[in-house]
Structure formats: C-alpha cells, structure tokens
Amino acid sequence: MALKLEVTNVSKRYVSKSKDRTIQALSDITFAVEEGKILGIVGESGCGKSTLSRIIAGLESPDTGTVQVTGKPHPVISKYVLKNRQRTVQLVFQDPYSSLNPRQPIYKAIDEVVAIYQPALTGSERDERVSDLLGRVGISRDMSNRYAHQFSGGQRQRICIARSLAANPEILLLDEPVSALDVSVRADIINLLLELKSQFNLTYIFVSHDLEIVKHVSDDIMVMNAGKIVEKGSWNEVMENPQDQYTKTLIEAMPKLSRRE
Amino acid sequence: MSLLRVSNLTVETSLDGKTLVDDVSFSIEKGESVGIVGESGSGKSLSALSILSLLPNGVRKRSGTVEFQGQEIAAENLQNIRGNRISMVYQDPMTSLNPMMKIGRQIEEVLEAHDLGKDSARTLAALESVRIPEPEKCANSYPHEFSGGMRQRVMIAIALLLKPDLLIADEPTTALDVTIQRQILNLVNEQKRANNASILWISHDLGVVAEMVDKVIVMYAGRIVEVGTVAEIFENPRHPYTVGLIGSLIKRKHQQKMISIPGTPPKPWTVTGQCGFADRCSRVLPNCTQQKPELVELGRQSFACFNPFEGGLI
C-alpha cells in the first residue's frame, strides 16, 4: 500500500533564551505511515511527541531531516502560502475550548475554513457544505449559530473535528483528542473518529499518553522516550510482547482493572 | 461505629442556591479504602471537600452532617481534626505548596500549627518515609526545584505527618505521567498499610480506583448512583451508567465500536423529580422521568435505578 507520510531522520534542538542550555527535543526520528492506517504515538511528557506533531503539521521546521506527505516534501507553512494551499495535514488538539474562537458562532468557524479552501463555492453551496460537515459529527444545523461556550466538551471536540475536515485533509493529527473529555464521552468521540476515518479515507496519527486508548485505535504503535523512538511495531506486538525496557515499564505502570493485590 | 459518616449532604451555590451535590450519604470504616468515581461536575470533589469544611468560595453546604468517630465535625472541633485526624492531598502539587517557602519550613509549619513545635528530625523522617533522596537537601529547597512527582511525594509526606486516621486524596495522580503515577500509587498503598489509615480516593479514572480501594461509590449529576465492592462494581454493575462506563473500558474489540453513552451529563441542578441519567439511558421507563430513584440496598451493593441490569452482563 502507498505510503501517506514519511518522516526521515528528523532532529530538532531547542536553545534556551540565555543560550546556555540546549534541549534535544527529537533525535533522528524515522518512520512511515501507510495510507488509511492509524499510527499511535505514546510517551510521557517531554518525550518529544508534541514537537514531532508540530513538525509533521508544518508548524515548525526540523533542524535536519524531511517530512514527506504522499511523496511530496511538506513545506514549512508561511503566512503567504497558507491561504492558497490545500492543507493535507490537519490538527485536532486536546482542549477543544481553547481551539475555538469564543467570539465566533461555530457556523462561522467552519464556514471560514470552507471559504479558504474552496473559494469557488457559491453561498448556498458553502452553506450546504457546512451543514454536511456538522451533520457528519452529529451537531444539528439549528445549533450552529451558538458560541463555543454553549456546547459541552464532547460537542466542542466534535466541532473541532468538523472544522479540521473542512480543509479536506488526508491526514488528521490527533494530539490527545479525548484526554480533556469526560470519561463517559470519550468512547463516543473515539467511535466517531473511527467512523470518519473510513468515510473520508483518512490516515490518522494518534498522539496520546493513554496506552489503553492507543491500543484500541492503532494499527501500529510507536513509543517515544527522551526524543527518540524506543520501539515501534504493530499494536499487538508492542502491547503484548514489548521488547524495549521503557515500553515494558510503561505497560507495567498502566493501572489495570483486573489487577488487584 | 464508622470512622466517618456523611449523612444527607447537600451542597449548593451560595448566590442562587443551585444544587451541586444532592443528598449524599456514605460511610468509611477504620482501615477501609473507599473510592468516589465520577465525571467533572458529578459532585465527587465537593462531597470530599465538605468533609473538612473546605468548600470553595461561592459554594456552601445546604444541609447534612459529617460525623467523625461518632462526633459531628463542627467549627469547634474542626481544627483538632483537620490536618491531624483527617488530611488531604490535592491534584496539583504545584499549587498546593507555597512557592516562596522552603519545603522543610512548610512541613514544620504543620507541626507548629498543631502545637508540636519545631522538630527537624521529624521533618526529615517524613521526607524519608516517602523515599525522597537526600531529605536534608530537599528540606532546604523550594518547590520549583522539584518535578511534579517529587512535589506530590512532599504533599503526601505532609498529609501523613501526623498519622491521620483518614487520608482524602483528590485526584492526586491525574497531573502525573503514568510511570510516576505508578510510584505514587505504590507509595500511598505502602503508607496506608504502615499506618492502618483509611483512604477516600477521588478519581475519574476507574483503573486507578480499581487498584486502590475496597469499596466504590459512583456519582452522577450530584447523586450517588451505585455503591459496591470493587469486584461487584466491575464484574456485576447494575446501574446503566456504571455498565456504560465499565463496558467502554473492558468490553472492546480492536478498532471496533466501543460501548458508549450518548449525550453528555446534565448539570445537577437541572435534574428535578427524575433520574439524572434518564435522558442518556437505554433502559428508561416512564417512571424514570417522573420520580427520583432512591439508593436501594441489595446484598452488599446499592444502586439508584428503577430498571437496573440484572448483573453478570459484563
């Protein structure tokens, strides 16, 4: 199957303001994701998973190495090209409230993305597209003139997902998409994401610290620690037969419903 | 006699009297670990904070009593109980430590507040008991010099300083990484055993609760919906809310649809004269929207539901 995303030898180093400390956020990261697959990335805070997502999304450029989306090198996004280019990689963040403009009705939030990426559409065609996107994530059209604070956490995340789909992406980068949500709402959003993936023929990068969720959704899992990939493989290999010591520690540390002393 | 008994606790907003916690009763025995699980807004933290009269501004107790060893906790005896017989550990170890004060001093302050004087040997022993390397150096440092896990160890050291009978832990590991969480869970278990303390563990994480406690209280929209031992709650849940929560965790096939609960939890004060879960429930009966189900005891399990699962479904 065709490779959708290729990350080759990516390294990134940050220098502190006083220039006396450097942090190697990523060292020599290489991996690929096939079209239509879900890659789960797990690791603890500071392991470099967020830097990596930012680089894949083009929000940050690597010091060395390349990121290729469907074989084309993925350029760094500058203000000037942003408006005219169809973005193939879209992000969904952890906190859906801070990713929505509080002063904007959610209809507008999605409409403006459609207007940027499909400028040829007429007013009524655009309206139809916005309604369709909202419908796909289970938000009714009547609610679309409301503001972000009038929705629950789960609904806000649905809106953020609809907004990212408005750009017709090929890859969705999901950075802890359910971590900020109530437990009883998480399963609902995961179900929605899995459904949309097949509807829109998407490829997912699912970044999370929650091994249980990553195990459930991923085809392949990549474990990161201190800016390096310590292990990668198919989900059942990594979860059931981990080779790396750090992966073993991580799996061992996971609270389990079945484990009681 | 129970160590702690909370009876008919109701908490409301001070400004407009909106109900946040609705008629909650439970008890904790000596040496027992009890967990309260629920989502944000379910009232789990407010119930715990009410025990020591620590409710935040804008929220007050409307009615209900809290008895500790058979004696009602009131303004007169609060100082003898709080920090001494019952202590607390909070979610965020950065905001619960004073950033301007050395750690050793913060521990001594607790001793002084309880008229035990300045006792540096006891301070160091406390830090040692939670396995902080180089306790002298730690006592002489400020909170920002430590990682989140280390700060939470300091908080636990402070909470256990006076060997309390009950430790209330309000999501103490939610802000921590999994491997650090594991260390803290092990540490609390170890200390609990050493002191034969009771624990009230508040969390939204069922996995953590399953490991830490004997008895689980499930809260939803300000009310208790189910109470039972860990084994009963996880293997034999009766309330449809508990069934949905646990189902989504343990009954799933790779990349297949997870068991989910449609909709979102209601605000507790919007639920009047009906079951708070009725709008999201797959087993709703006409009765469910006409009256509030009371907590019914059946064997060692209690649940508030007119149409409970028969059990053994999971």
Side-chain angles (χ1 to χ4, degrees), chain B residues 125-153:
Chain B
L127 289 171
E128 212 159 75
S129 72
V130 292
R131 275 191 260 110
I132 287 180
E134 303 181 82
E136 291 92 353
K137 203 175 148 202
C138 168
N140 209 22
S141 311
Y142 289 96
H144 76 267
E145 298 175 61
F146 289 92
S147 65
M150 278 298 164
R151 279 183 220 138
Q152 200 59 298
R153 278 169 194 261

PDB file of all heavy atoms in Angstrom, chain B residues 125-153:
ATOM      1  N   ALA B 125      12.450  12.784  58.801  1.00  0.00           N
ATOM      2  CA  ALA B 125      11.902  11.426  58.790  1.00  0.00           C
ATOM      3  C   ALA B 125      10.695  11.343  57.850  1.00  0.00           C
ATOM      4  O   ALA B 125      10.507  10.351  57.141  1.00  0.00           O
ATOM      5  CB  ALA B 125      11.510  11.019  60.204  1.00  0.00           C
ATOM      6  N   ALA B 126       9.889  12.418  57.845  1.00  0.00           N
ATOM      7  CA  ALA B 126       8.709  12.435  56.981  1.00  0.00           C
ATOM      8  C   ALA B 126       9.124  12.380  55.514  1.00  0.00           C
ATOM      9  O   ALA B 126       8.542  11.640  54.716  1.00  0.00           O
ATOM     10  CB  ALA B 126       7.880  13.684  57.249  1.00  0.00           C
ATOM     11  N   LEU B 127      10.146  13.152  55.169  1.00  0.00           N
ATOM     12  CA  LEU B 127      10.619  13.156  53.779  1.00  0.00           C
ATOM     13  C   LEU B 127      11.224  11.805  53.412  1.00  0.00           C
ATOM     14  O   LEU B 127      11.075  11.321  52.292  1.00  0.00           O
ATOM     15  CB  LEU B 127      11.640  14.274  53.567  1.00  0.00           C
ATOM     16  CG  LEU B 127      11.063  15.686  53.595  1.00  0.00           C
ATOM     17  CD1 LEU B 127      12.170  16.717  53.585  1.00  0.00           C
ATOM     18  CD2 LEU B 127      10.137  15.907  52.402  1.00  0.00           C
ATOM     19  N   GLU B 128      11.888  11.219  54.373  1.00  0.00           N
ATOM     20  CA  GLU B 128      12.497   9.919  54.137  1.00  0.00           C
ATOM     21  C   GLU B 128      11.436   8.846  53.915  1.00  0.00           C
ATOM     22  O   GLU B 128      11.590   7.969  53.085  1.00  0.00           O
ATOM     23  CB  GLU B 128      13.358   9.551  55.350  1.00  0.00           C
ATOM     24  CG  GLU B 128      14.575   8.729  55.002  1.00  0.00           C
ATOM     25  CD  GLU B 128      15.604   8.849  56.123  1.00  0.00           C
ATOM     26  OE1 GLU B 128      15.381   8.227  57.171  1.00  0.00           O
ATOM     27  OE2 GLU B 128      16.587   9.579  55.937  1.00  0.00           O
ATOM     28  N   SER B 129      10.339   8.958  54.680  1.00  0.00           N
ATOM     29  CA  SER B 129       9.298   7.933  54.598  1.00  0.00           C
ATOM     30  C   SER B 129       8.645   7.875  53.217  1.00  0.00           C
ATOM     31  O   SER B 129       8.124   6.841  52.815  1.00  0.00           O
ATOM     32  CB  SER B 129       8.226   8.165  55.667  1.00  0.00           C
ATOM     33  OG  SER B 129       7.458   9.294  55.312  1.00  0.00           O
ATOM     34  N   VAL B 130       8.665   8.993  52.482  1.00  0.00           N
ATOM     35  CA  VAL B 130       8.107   8.949  51.134  1.00  0.00           C
ATOM     36  C   VAL B 130       9.227   8.777  50.097  1.00  0.00           C
ATOM     37  O   VAL B 130       9.063   9.047  48.913  1.00  0.00           O
ATOM     38  CB  VAL B 130       7.261  10.213  50.802  1.00  0.00           C
ATOM     39  CG1 VAL B 130       6.001  10.229  51.631  1.00  0.00           C
ATOM     40  CG2 VAL B 130       8.053  11.487  51.006  1.00  0.00           C
ATOM     41  N   ARG B 131      10.363   8.320  50.598  1.00  0.00           N
ATOM     42  CA  ARG B 131      11.534   7.982  49.795  1.00  0.00           C
ATOM     43  C   ARG B 131      12.004   9.101  48.884  1.00  0.00           C
ATOM     44  O   ARG B 131      12.162   8.932  47.680  1.00  0.00           O
ATOM     45  CB  ARG B 131      11.291   6.685  49.032  1.00  0.00           C
ATOM     46  CG  ARG B 131      11.643   5.506  49.949  1.00  0.00           C
ATOM     47  CD  ARG B 131      11.686   4.216  49.221  1.00  0.00           C
ATOM     48  NE  ARG B 131      10.444   3.511  49.455  1.00  0.00           N
ATOM     49  CZ  ARG B 131       9.513   3.323  48.540  1.00  0.00           C
ATOM     50  NH1 ARG B 131       9.683   3.735  47.327  1.00  0.00           N
ATOM     51  NH2 ARG B 131       8.429   2.666  48.868  1.00  0.00           N
ATOM     52  N   ILE B 132      12.202  10.262  49.506  1.00  0.00           N
ATOM     53  CA  ILE B 132      12.827  11.356  48.777  1.00  0.00           C
ATOM     54  C   ILE B 132      14.331  11.239  49.021  1.00  0.00           C
ATOM     55  O   ILE B 132      14.766  11.190  50.171  1.00  0.00           O
ATOM     56  CB  ILE B 132      12.268  12.714  49.276  1.00  0.00           C
ATOM     57  CG1 ILE B 132      10.849  12.863  48.740  1.00  0.00           C
ATOM     58  CG2 ILE B 132      13.157  13.869  48.858  1.00  0.00           C
ATOM     59  CD1 ILE B 132      10.153  14.114  49.113  1.00  0.00           C
ATOM     60  N   PRO B 133      15.110  11.148  47.956  1.00  0.00           N
ATOM     61  CA  PRO B 133      16.552  11.040  48.159  1.00  0.00           C
ATOM     62  C   PRO B 133      17.097  12.341  48.755  1.00  0.00           C
ATOM     63  O   PRO B 133      16.604  13.423  48.433  1.00  0.00           O
ATOM     64  CB  PRO B 133      17.102  10.782  46.749  1.00  0.00           C
ATOM     65  CG  PRO B 133      16.028  11.195  45.813  1.00  0.00           C
ATOM     66  CD  PRO B 133      14.735  11.148  46.544  1.00  0.00           C
ATOM     67  N   GLU B 134      18.071  12.256  49.585  1.00  0.00           N
ATOM     68  CA  GLU B 134      18.702  13.408  50.244  1.00  0.00           C
ATOM     69  C   GLU B 134      17.678  14.328  50.921  1.00  0.00           C
ATOM     70  O   GLU B 134      17.485  15.465  50.497  1.00  0.00           O
ATOM     71  CB  GLU B 134      19.520  14.222  49.244  1.00  0.00           C
ATOM     72  CG  GLU B 134      20.594  13.416  48.533  1.00  0.00           C
ATOM     73  CD  GLU B 134      21.392  14.292  47.582  1.00  0.00           C
ATOM     74  OE1 GLU B 134      22.297  14.974  48.060  1.00  0.00           O
ATOM     75  OE2 GLU B 134      21.079  14.295  46.385  1.00  0.00           O
ATOM     76  N   PRO B 135      17.033  13.845  51.973  1.00  0.00           N
ATOM     77  CA  PRO B 135      15.998  14.655  52.635  1.00  0.00           C
ATOM     78  C   PRO B 135      16.495  16.014  53.147  1.00  0.00           C
ATOM     79  O   PRO B 135      15.753  16.996  53.079  1.00  0.00           O
ATOM     80  CB  PRO B 135      15.519  13.778  53.792  1.00  0.00           C
ATOM     81  CG  PRO B 135      16.357  12.569  53.800  1.00  0.00           C
ATOM     82  CD  PRO B 135      17.116  12.491  52.548  1.00  0.00           C
ATOM     83  N   GLU B 136      17.746  16.083  53.620  1.00  0.00           N
ATOM     84  CA  GLU B 136      18.257  17.374  54.122  1.00  0.00           C
ATOM     85  C   GLU B 136      18.256  18.406  53.017  1.00  0.00           C
ATOM     86  O   GLU B 136      17.858  19.558  53.208  1.00  0.00           O
ATOM     87  CB  GLU B 136      19.695  17.245  54.668  1.00  0.00           C
ATOM     88  CG  GLU B 136      19.825  16.457  55.939  1.00  0.00           C
ATOM     89  CD  GLU B 136      20.112  14.983  55.667  1.00  0.00           C
ATOM     90  OE1 GLU B 136      20.073  14.583  54.479  1.00  0.00           O
ATOM     91  OE2 GLU B 136      20.343  14.228  56.623  1.00  0.00           O
ATOM     92  N   LYS B 137      18.732  17.970  51.851  1.00  0.00           N
ATOM     93  CA  LYS B 137      18.826  18.881  50.718  1.00  0.00           C
ATOM     94  C   LYS B 137      17.419  19.312  50.281  1.00  0.00           C
ATOM     95  O   LYS B 137      17.177  20.472  49.956  1.00  0.00           O
ATOM     96  CB  LYS B 137      19.539  18.171  49.564  1.00  0.00           C
ATOM     97  CG  LYS B 137      20.170  19.128  48.585  1.00  0.00           C
ATOM     98  CD  LYS B 137      20.963  18.366  47.532  1.00  0.00           C
ATOM     99  CE  LYS B 137      20.909  19.133  46.236  1.00  0.00           C
ATOM    100  NZ  LYS B 137      21.167  18.267  45.084  1.00  0.00           N
ATOM    101  N   CYS B 138      16.483  18.342  50.313  1.00  0.00           N
ATOM    102  CA  CYS B 138      15.104  18.630  49.916  1.00  0.00           C
ATOM    103  C   CYS B 138      14.477  19.650  50.851  1.00  0.00           C
ATOM    104  O   CYS B 138      13.852  20.618  50.422  1.00  0.00           O
ATOM    105  CB  CYS B 138      14.301  17.332  49.908  1.00  0.00           C
ATOM    106  SG  CYS B 138      12.538  17.589  49.774  1.00  0.00           S
ATOM    107  N   ALA B 139      14.679  19.467  52.151  1.00  0.00           N
ATOM    108  CA  ALA B 139      14.081  20.364  53.137  1.00  0.00           C
ATOM    109  C   ALA B 139      14.556  21.791  52.922  1.00  0.00           C
ATOM    110  O   ALA B 139      13.858  22.750  53.232  1.00  0.00           O
ATOM    111  CB  ALA B 139      14.432  19.883  54.541  1.00  0.00           C
ATOM    112  N   ASN B 140      15.721  21.915  52.346  1.00  0.00           N
ATOM    113  CA  ASN B 140      16.317  23.224  52.157  1.00  0.00           C
ATOM    114  C   ASN B 140      16.078  23.778  50.743  1.00  0.00           C
ATOM    115  O   ASN B 140      16.748  24.717  50.319  1.00  0.00           O
ATOM    116  CB  ASN B 140      17.818  23.100  52.448  1.00  0.00           C
ATOM    117  CG  ASN B 140      18.396  24.393  52.968  1.00  0.00           C
ATOM    118  OD1 ASN B 140      17.655  25.243  53.488  1.00  0.00           O
ATOM    119  ND2 ASN B 140      19.682  24.559  52.808  1.00  0.00           N
ATOM    120  N   SER B 141      15.161  23.169  50.005  1.00  0.00           N
ATOM    121  CA  SER B 141      14.903  23.613  48.628  1.00  0.00           C
ATOM    122  C   SER B 141      13.496  24.181  48.504  1.00  0.00           C
ATOM    123  O   SER B 141      12.647  23.968  49.369  1.00  0.00           O
ATOM    124  CB  SER B 141      15.025  22.446  47.654  1.00  0.00           C
ATOM    125  OG  SER B 141      16.206  21.742  47.870  1.00  0.00           O
ATOM    126  N   TYR B 142      13.271  24.872  47.396  1.00  0.00           N
ATOM    127  CA  TYR B 142      11.943  25.412  47.103  1.00  0.00           C
ATOM    128  C   TYR B 142      11.189  24.458  46.182  1.00  0.00           C
ATOM    129  O   TYR B 142      11.810  23.715  45.418  1.00  0.00           O
ATOM    130  CB  TYR B 142      12.086  26.783  46.435  1.00  0.00           C
ATOM    131  CG  TYR B 142      12.575  27.838  47.390  1.00  0.00           C
ATOM    132  CD1 TYR B 142      13.931  28.166  47.448  1.00  0.00           C
ATOM    133  CD2 TYR B 142      11.693  28.486  48.243  1.00  0.00           C
ATOM    134  CE1 TYR B 142      14.392  29.117  48.334  1.00  0.00           C
ATOM    135  CE2 TYR B 142      12.154  29.440  49.136  1.00  0.00           C
ATOM    136  CZ  TYR B 142      13.504  29.758  49.184  1.00  0.00           C
ATOM    137  OH  TYR B 142      13.948  30.693  50.072  1.00  0.00           O
ATOM    138  N   PRO B 143       9.840  24.518  46.215  1.00  0.00           N
ATOM    139  CA  PRO B 143       9.050  23.576  45.413  1.00  0.00           C
ATOM    140  C   PRO B 143       9.419  23.544  43.921  1.00  0.00           C
ATOM    141  O   PRO B 143       9.415  22.487  43.310  1.00  0.00           O
ATOM    142  CB  PRO B 143       7.617  24.052  45.608  1.00  0.00           C
ATOM    143  CG  PRO B 143       7.619  24.699  46.946  1.00  0.00           C
ATOM    144  CD  PRO B 143       8.986  25.315  47.109  1.00  0.00           C
ATOM    145  N   HIS B 144       9.769  24.720  43.354  1.00  0.00           N
ATOM    146  CA  HIS B 144      10.014  24.718  41.899  1.00  0.00           C
ATOM    147  C   HIS B 144      11.245  23.914  41.518  1.00  0.00           C
ATOM    148  O   HIS B 144      11.448  23.593  40.347  1.00  0.00           O
ATOM    149  CB  HIS B 144      10.144  26.156  41.376  1.00  0.00           C
ATOM    150  CG  HIS B 144      11.452  26.793  41.701  1.00  0.00           C
ATOM    151  ND1 HIS B 144      11.630  27.561  42.821  1.00  0.00           N
ATOM    152  CD2 HIS B 144      12.646  26.751  41.065  1.00  0.00           C
ATOM    153  CE1 HIS B 144      12.889  27.984  42.862  1.00  0.00           C
ATOM    154  NE2 HIS B 144      13.529  27.500  41.799  1.00  0.00           N
ATOM    155  N   GLU B 145      12.079  23.574  42.497  1.00  0.00           N
ATOM    156  CA  GLU B 145      13.284  22.806  42.180  1.00  0.00           C
ATOM    157  C   GLU B 145      12.973  21.319  41.999  1.00  0.00           C
ATOM    158  O   GLU B 145      13.865  20.535  41.715  1.00  0.00           O
ATOM    159  CB  GLU B 145      14.328  23.000  43.285  1.00  0.00           C
ATOM    160  CG  GLU B 145      14.784  24.456  43.427  1.00  0.00           C
ATOM    161  CD  GLU B 145      15.730  24.664  44.603  1.00  0.00           C
ATOM    162  OE1 GLU B 145      16.799  24.047  44.600  1.00  0.00           O
ATOM    163  OE2 GLU B 145      15.371  25.429  45.521  1.00  0.00           O
ATOM    164  N   PHE B 146      11.711  20.953  42.186  1.00  0.00           N
ATOM    165  CA  PHE B 146      11.357  19.543  42.102  1.00  0.00           C
ATOM    166  C   PHE B 146      10.401  19.251  40.960  1.00  0.00           C
ATOM    167  O   PHE B 146       9.662  20.132  40.531  1.00  0.00           O
ATOM    168  CB  PHE B 146      10.702  19.086  43.414  1.00  0.00           C
ATOM    169  CG  PHE B 146      11.676  19.016  44.530  1.00  0.00           C
ATOM    170  CD1 PHE B 146      11.867  20.098  45.361  1.00  0.00           C
ATOM    171  CD2 PHE B 146      12.429  17.871  44.731  1.00  0.00           C
ATOM    172  CE1 PHE B 146      12.788  20.047  46.383  1.00  0.00           C
ATOM    173  CE2 PHE B 146      13.353  17.812  45.753  1.00  0.00           C
ATOM    174  CZ  PHE B 146      13.539  18.900  46.574  1.00  0.00           C
ATOM    175  N   SER B 147      10.406  17.989  40.531  1.00  0.00           N
ATOM    176  CA  SER B 147       9.460  17.562  39.496  1.00  0.00           C
ATOM    177  C   SER B 147       8.080  17.368  40.124  1.00  0.00           C
ATOM    178  O   SER B 147       7.949  17.341  41.348  1.00  0.00           O
ATOM    179  CB  SER B 147       9.932  16.248  38.897  1.00  0.00           C
ATOM    180  OG  SER B 147       9.894  15.251  39.889  1.00  0.00           O
ATOM    181  N   GLY B 148       7.064  17.199  39.301  1.00  0.00           N
ATOM    182  CA  GLY B 148       5.698  17.008  39.787  1.00  0.00           C
ATOM    183  C   GLY B 148       5.571  15.807  40.712  1.00  0.00           C
ATOM    184  O   GLY B 148       4.914  15.870  41.753  1.00  0.00           O
ATOM    185  N   GLY B 149       6.227  14.727  40.361  1.00  0.00           N
ATOM    186  CA  GLY B 149       6.148  13.513  41.165  1.00  0.00           C
ATOM    187  C   GLY B 149       6.764  13.718  42.542  1.00  0.00           C
ATOM    188  O   GLY B 149       6.230  13.282  43.557  1.00  0.00           O
ATOM    189  N   MET B 150       7.914  14.408  42.571  1.00  0.00           N
ATOM    190  CA  MET B 150       8.597  14.680  43.839  1.00  0.00           C
ATOM    191  C   MET B 150       7.755  15.601  44.717  1.00  0.00           C
ATOM    192  O   MET B 150       7.647  15.412  45.925  1.00  0.00           O
ATOM    193  CB  MET B 150       9.965  15.319  43.583  1.00  0.00           C
ATOM    194  CG  MET B 150      11.025  14.299  43.245  1.00  0.00           C
ATOM    195  SD  MET B 150      11.281  13.147  44.629  1.00  0.00           S
ATOM    196  CE  MET B 150      12.143  11.839  43.821  1.00  0.00           C
ATOM    197  N   ARG B 151       7.136  16.616  44.089  1.00  0.00           N
ATOM    198  CA  ARG B 151       6.287  17.537  44.847  1.00  0.00           C
ATOM    199  C   ARG B 151       5.111  16.789  45.454  1.00  0.00           C
ATOM    200  O   ARG B 151       4.715  17.033  46.583  1.00  0.00           O
ATOM    201  CB  ARG B 151       5.737  18.623  43.921  1.00  0.00           C
ATOM    202  CG  ARG B 151       6.710  19.726  43.683  1.00  0.00           C
ATOM    203  CD  ARG B 151       6.030  20.770  42.816  1.00  0.00           C
ATOM    204  NE  ARG B 151       6.977  21.262  41.851  1.00  0.00           N
ATOM    205  CZ  ARG B 151       6.711  21.485  40.584  1.00  0.00           C
ATOM    206  NH1 ARG B 151       5.520  21.265  40.101  1.00  0.00           N
ATOM    207  NH2 ARG B 151       7.643  21.927  39.788  1.00  0.00           N
ATOM    208  N   GLN B 152       4.559  15.834  44.667  1.00  0.00           N
ATOM    209  CA  GLN B 152       3.425  15.086  45.194  1.00  0.00           C
ATOM    210  C   GLN B 152       3.873  14.211  46.355  1.00  0.00           C
ATOM    211  O   GLN B 152       3.136  14.020  47.311  1.00  0.00           O
ATOM    212  CB  GLN B 152       2.764  14.275  44.068  1.00  0.00           C
ATOM    213  CG  GLN B 152       1.341  13.847  44.328  1.00  0.00           C
ATOM    214  CD  GLN B 152       0.386  14.999  44.581  1.00  0.00           C
ATOM    215  OE1 GLN B 152       0.527  15.752  45.540  1.00  0.00           O
ATOM    216  NE2 GLN B 152      -0.602  15.148  43.722  1.00  0.00           N
ATOM    217  N   ARG B 153       5.116  13.733  46.318  1.00  0.00           N
ATOM    218  CA  ARG B 153       5.659  12.982  47.462  1.00  0.00           C
ATOM    219  C   ARG B 153       5.713  13.866  48.694  1.00  0.00           C
ATOM    220  O   ARG B 153       5.391  13.434  49.800  1.00  0.00           O
ATOM    221  CB  ARG B 153       7.077  12.489  47.145  1.00  0.00           C
ATOM    222  CG  ARG B 153       7.088  11.221  46.336  1.00  0.00           C
ATOM    223  CD  ARG B 153       8.482  10.928  45.829  1.00  0.00           C
ATOM    224  NE  ARG B 153       8.389   9.919  44.805  1.00  0.00           N
ATOM    225  CZ  ARG B 153       8.634   8.625  45.026  1.00  0.00           C
ATOM    226  NH1 ARG B 153       9.042   8.224  46.203  1.00  0.00           N
ATOM    227  NH2 ARG B 153       8.480   7.749  44.065  1.00  0.00           N
TER     228      ARG B 153
END
